[in-house]
Amino acid sequence: MVQELFDRGPAELKWREFTAAGFDVPVCGVVFRAGQATCGLPLGGIGAGCLDLNTDGALGRCSIFNSFTPPRELNAPIFALGIGGKTWTLQKRAGADNAAEEIYYWGHYPVADLQFVTSAPVAASLRAWAPFLPGDAIASNTPGAVFEVHLRNSSADVQFGTLYFSFPGPSPAEAGGSVFERKISTQGVTVTAPGGTAYALALLDEDRPRVGGYLDLGAASLKDFVSMREASANDAGATVAVDFNLKPGESRTIRFALAWFAPRWKGTEYRHYLHAYSRRFSSAEDVVEYLTRSHRSLLQRILSWQRTIYAEKRLPVWLRDQMVNVLHTVTEDSFWAANSVPREDWCEPFGIFGLTESPRSVPHVAIPSDWYGSFPLVFFFPDLMAALLRGYAHFQLGNGEIPLGLGWGTDLGSPIYHFLHTVNSAVFVELVARLWRRGANPAALKEFYPAVKQAVLYTKSLDRDGDGLLDLEPEPTGNQFYGAWPWPGTSVHTNGYWLPVLTLAAQMAEAYGDAAFASQCREWRAHGQRTIEDLWRNGSYLLYLDQATGRSSDTVLANQLVGQWLSFLHGLPPMFPTPRAEAVLDTVKALHFPKSEWGIYNALRPDGAIDPTGSTHSQGTFPAENLCVAMTFSYMGRRAEGEDLARRVIENLVLRQGVGWDLPNQINPKTGAVTFGTDFYQMMIIWALPLAFSSEDIPTATRPGSLMDRILQAAKENGATVKQMA
């Protein structure tokens, strides 16, 4: 018997625990109504493209046919019910009497659950999902999605009707032409474009739907019972329809698959890439066959790993929800190529992997964002993390400099150098340490140590005056995390990060057998540790100090203790003396916390005024940096303060701004409004919050019995115990 997919609860938009189909424990989340979020959850896995299923029931942005930067906007409803001479579109549209009156939407990536309120005598709900399984990068690289439509006759009469599933297909630019080949099967239809791009619509549990051309289910004229139309040669779209009859109170579940196959994308005029999924599948029909065979076990495994998180009562409800949902940025932003065209040897056998910082705002792979957002890769997909690092190591310059990114737009072979150069190489070292220290990974150390050593030597060369600290050059471009804000001389943020990195480099050198370099790194760390205390003033560290010119700034940077957080994250001794670190936290709390309801300013003058010298970087808020501050409070034994700050940041984004599936880079701390960025994966730093809240570190994060380990075990084929809905 079909049941409600989830408990709708009160109208108030808030996090709560509630019951949901397929779960034997209460789940965590927010139930949205149509239009209460700027977009919906993306249906897709890792590096295979995705399509948003918006809260109004229509498909939104779509990258499955290689429109990545930016994605194509579809705005296309996909389901309709035809009953008794009338058709109801399962989308909410203003002024349309044949559309849904309301939609209740619960997203728990990679699953979107929708409950439709219509005047139709048959009630409808939808569970749409795509494979995403922690620990299983291969299954998560499947170019397809499943749509489970649950129908229930809520009337006193037998109801005869038709369920329509219609998809618009690729644009002419995506297809490479305007004439399409159609192949009808017992399950549905496959549509193939001249260049080989293809998709399939198919029934999963039954045969012989009716097949026709695309139906614009959002058309204002669509009121009467629609009939299937024959597709023309120029019709990129397709429809499959299933007839049903339901007795009073009877239910039925109809499952469809949308599979796509667009195996080659253009990076530059002279360099293309082959999707990693082309190694497993040779056609859209192959994907349909896989989903037909595996959809029940795949969904069971998805619900199982989610259950593990929802049952973790030591974490607040909002965090459990967002740990699940923030993973959507992996599918929005990931590229995974089996290889390039022309072929490269360095990336074998795993291929080329990268996360674009933001497909619509800043479309490039960028190592500073990897610093924030790579935690799920480290915990659950170490092979992908290694592939990401392999790209940076491959393009490392002879002087040791690691590039900012691998390319612009859809390209992964045109590295970007010199911008933010003071931090990029240090970040690379720390990212390698994350992978190495995750379960004591000796393979990572063996492969990446030579690049690590060169990166350390390059970064140390930026200590031009020999004081043990890196020297910043504000001209001509930014050279630290706050790139739009020029800092001369030495900064506490940059060097507070760099000095713990030296300790990590020393540990890697020692494990590798390079005792001399390990000793050198420790000497450099000790020297810098003494010198950085010259920046201390009155309960805070200076933002920067240029000894040569005497220029300095006593602006109070909220995340000035980033090195303290990094030290705790890796289980190292504290970067800053505890009394001074406590004094900084007291200063930040007194100065920053009262100023904004939606997080904290990146920085404030000691009198609480705004520092105008760094554009939005000095006057606004980086949510990811706010979470670093929150974790520093937590690691320093002040979890209540840290947790409250983190909650306010996430609450503003998800509840107030409605951008939980379109995460930004910056917000206005006065209003909470987004000022820059879309689909930024930096917010996957959320996955470090459980460690800070429980005073754990990366070396212990995946130990047997830990939360990360239990998630991995639950996602395995033999670990799934949660039952699907019938």
Side-chain angles (χ1 to χ4, degrees):
M1 177 179 176
V2 174
Q3 56 184 300
E4 290 286 288
L5 286 174
F6 54 86
D7 171 26
R8 299 175 185 178
E12 182 183 3
L13 203 61
K14 65 177 183 179
W15 277 289
R16 59 188 177 87
E17 291 185 315
F18 51 91
T19 58
F23 293 94
D24 61 356
V25 298
V27 300
C28 306
V30 179
V31 175
F32 293 93
R33 296 190 183 191
Q36 287 184 323
T38 60
C39 66
L41 178 148
L43 299 172
I46 301 175
C50 61
L51 62 168
D52 291 357
L53 180 56
N54 289 341
T55 57
D56 66 355
L59 294 178
R61 289 185 290 271
C62 173
S63 62
I64 66 174
F65 300 121
N66 296 333
S67 290
F68 294 120
T69 58
R72 177 185 169 203
E73 293 277 359
L74 295 181
N75 191 27
I78 51 175
F79 287 105
L81 282 174
I83 303 171
K86 184 176 179 180
T87 299
W88 288 265
T89 300
L90 298 185
Q91 179 197 20
K92 185 176 181 182
R93 301 192 320 277
D97 61 4
N98 66 315
E101 299 168 10
E102 189 54 89
I103 298 175
Y104 295 88
Y105 189 108
W106 174 47
H108 46 119
Y109 178 78
V111 186
D113 287 343
L114 289 75
Q115 296 182 168
F116 305 96
V117 178
T118 73
S119 59
V122 172
S125 59
L126 169 66
R127 171 163 280 176
W129 58 273
F132 181 88
L133 297 160
D136 193 339
I138 303 302
S140 301
N141 180 233
T142 297
V146 175
F147 299 82
E148 302 182 351
V149 182
H150 307 288
L151 304 175
R152 180 174 56 84
N153 184 354
S154 54
S155 75
D157 302 311
V158 175
Q159 298 294 335
F160 297 86
T162 302
L163 175 63
Y164 299 91
F165 178 32
S166 199
F167 181 67
S171 68
E174 292 171 326
S178 56
V179 178
F180 298 86
E181 176 186 332
R182 310 178 87 80
K183 180 180 178 182
I184 309 298
S185 71
T186 58
Q187 283 185 275
V189 60
T190 302
V191 180
T192 305
T197 292
Y199 71 92
L201 302 183
L203 276 173
L204 289 182
D205 296 331
E206 48 196 305
D207 287 342
R208 304 196 181 281
R210 291 187 287 124
V211 176
Y214 177 63
L215 295 174
D216 183 2
L217 301 179
S221 60
L222 190 66
K223 295 182 180 180
D224 299 329
F225 191 80
V226 299
S227 58
M228 299 288 282
R229 67 171 187 82
E230 208 170 307
S232 70
N234 302 113
D235 194 345
T239 302
V240 293
V242 177
D243 297 325
F244 62 84
N245 65 84
L246 296 172
K247 298 175 183 177
E250 186 179 5
S251 299
R252 179 179 175 184
T253 297
I254 302 173
R255 293 180 175 88
F256 300 93
L258 166 62
W260 55 90
F261 190 74
R264 180 166 170 162
W265 85 80
K266 179 180 177 181
T268 68
E269 194 67 33
Y270 306 105
R271 183 169 48 248
H272 291 204
Y273 297 91
L274 297 174
H275 273 289
Y277 65 67
S278 65
R279 293 182 292 199
R280 292 171 60 217
F281 305 108
S282 60
S283 66
E285 288 132 315
D286 279 357
V287 182
V288 168
E289 192 278 329
Y290 171 72
L291 292 175
T292 300
R293 182 180 71 251
S294 307
H295 70 91
R296 291 183 182 276
S297 64
L298 289 171
L299 180 57
Q300 189 177 32
R301 293 166 66 191
I302 291 168
L303 301 184
S304 183
W305 71 256
Q306 292 184 346
R307 178 198 184 280
T308 303
I309 296 173
Y310 293 141
E312 187 65 23
K313 297 289 188 178
R314 291 174 294 179
L315 299 177
V317 61
W318 61 266
L319 179 55
R320 284 176 274 161
D321 168 64
Q322 287 303 293
M323 287 172 65
V324 171
N325 271 305
V326 78
L327 295 172
H328 82 273
T329 51
V330 176
T331 196
E332 290 276 16
D333 297 351
S334 57
F335 292 103
W336 187 2
N339 211 307
S340 64
V341 181
R343 190 176 183 86
E344 298 273 5
D345 292 332
W346 65 268
C347 61
E348 296 290 357
F350 211 70
I352 307 170
F353 181 79
L355 291 161
T356 189
E357 194 166 52
S358 166
R360 290 174 287 144
S361 303
V362 194
H364 70 144
V365 176
I367 201 167
S369 283
D370 296 329
W371 179 78
Y372 294 108
S374 66
F375 288 98
L377 298 182
V378 172
F379 296 148
F380 303 129
F381 304 105
D383 286 341
L384 289 178
M385 187 66 191
L388 175 69
L389 293 169
R390 197 168 293 126
Y392 289 119
H394 174 71
F395 289 112
Q396 185 177 33
L397 293 179
N399 67 356
E401 182 182 353
I402 293 290
L404 169 75
L406 304 186
W408 193 263
T410 58
D411 188 42
L412 303 175
S414 302
I416 304 163
Y417 298 100
H418 312 313
F419 187 70
L420 306 189
H421 67 281
T422 309
V423 295
N424 296 331
S425 299
V427 168
F428 172 79
V429 175
E430 197 258 315
L431 293 182
V432 172
R434 290 183 192 180
L435 185 61
W436 170 56
R437 294 168 70 82
R438 178 217 182 276
N441 187 340
L445 182 64
K446 180 179 180 180
E447 177 178 2
F448 294 115
Y449 178 74
V452 163
K453 183 173 182 178
Q454 291 305 114
V456 170
L457 291 171
Y458 169 76
T459 307
K460 183 63 177 69
S461 74
L462 302 178
D463 174 16
R464 299 179 184 88
D465 58 8
D467 67 352
L469 303 178
L470 308 179
D471 297 301
L472 299 171
E473 296 173 328
E475 303 296 341
T477 61
N479 52 26
Q480 34 77 25
F481 280 107
Y482 296 77
W485 192 2
W487 301 345
T490 60
S491 84
V492 66
H493 189 273
T494 303
N495 285 287
Y497 178 82
W498 161 241
L499 295 177
V501 166
L502 279 174
T503 297
L504 294 172
Q507 291 178 346
M508 285 188 275
E510 199 162 58
Y512 191 78
D514 191 348
F517 191 65
S519 177
Q520 181 68 81
C521 288
R522 290 193 173 97
E523 288 179 17
W524 290 335
R525 159 77 189 246
H527 185 194
Q529 187 96 42
R530 293 189 297 271
T531 309
I532 201 169
E533 290 305 312
D534 293 342
L535 300 177
W536 179 254
R537 300 287 191 282
N538 302 321
S540 178
Y541 287 91
L542 294 176
L543 177 66
Y544 59 78
L545 172 64
D546 188 351
Q547 298 279 14
T549 65
R551 292 178 61 193
S552 67
S553 172
D554 59 356
T555 289
V556 180
L557 187 72
N559 194 27
Q560 61 185 272
L561 296 183
V562 61
Q564 197 82 341
W565 169 70
L566 184 66
S567 299
F568 286 124
L569 182 69
H570 283 278
L572 306 179
M575 167 62 214
F576 298 100
T578 299
R580 289 193 171 178
E582 287 285 3
V584 169
L585 296 185
D586 289 340
T587 299
V588 169
K589 181 181 178 181
L591 185 64
H592 287 71
F593 278 37
K595 284 283 187 176
S596 174
E597 190 177 349
W598 319 115
I600 53 178
Y601 284 78
N602 290 338
L604 288 169
R605 298 289 301 142
D607 62 359
I610 303 298
D611 185 330
T613 62
S615 184
T616 57
H617 287 194
S618 66
Q619 301 176 56
T621 291
F622 287 138
E625 284 281 274
N626 272 201
L627 295 188
C628 284
V629 176
M631 286 186 278
T632 305
F633 270 92
S634 297
Y635 272 126
M636 294 283 294
R638 300 167 67 164
R639 174 175 170 174
E641 295 155 287
E643 185 176 324
D644 180 66
L645 171 58
R647 177 194 56 78
R648 288 190 285 119
V649 171
I650 304 303
E651 188 175 87
N652 174 59
L653 298 178
V654 177
L655 303 187
R656 192 163 186 264
Q657 307 302 326
V659 293
W661 295 297
D662 192 8
L663 292 165
N665 172 246
Q666 300 175 51
I667 66 163
N668 183 327
K670 291 183 180 179
T671 65
V674 173
T675 55
F676 180 74
T678 54
D679 294 324
F680 262 76
Y681 68 94
Q682 293 178 349
M683 291 305 288
M684 286 198 295
I685 198 173
I686 285 172
W687 273 87
L689 282 172
L691 275 64
F693 287 172
S694 58
S695 298
E696 295 179 337
D697 50 38
I698 287 176
T700 60
T702 54
R703 72 189 188 283
S706 69
L707 175 59
M708 308 306 170
D709 178 66
R710 285 183 281 120
I711 292 169
L712 285 166
Q713 297 305 318
K716 287 183 178 179
E717 193 82 45
N718 61 359
T721 57
V722 177
K723 293 183 178 179
Q724 289 190 69
M725 194 169 75

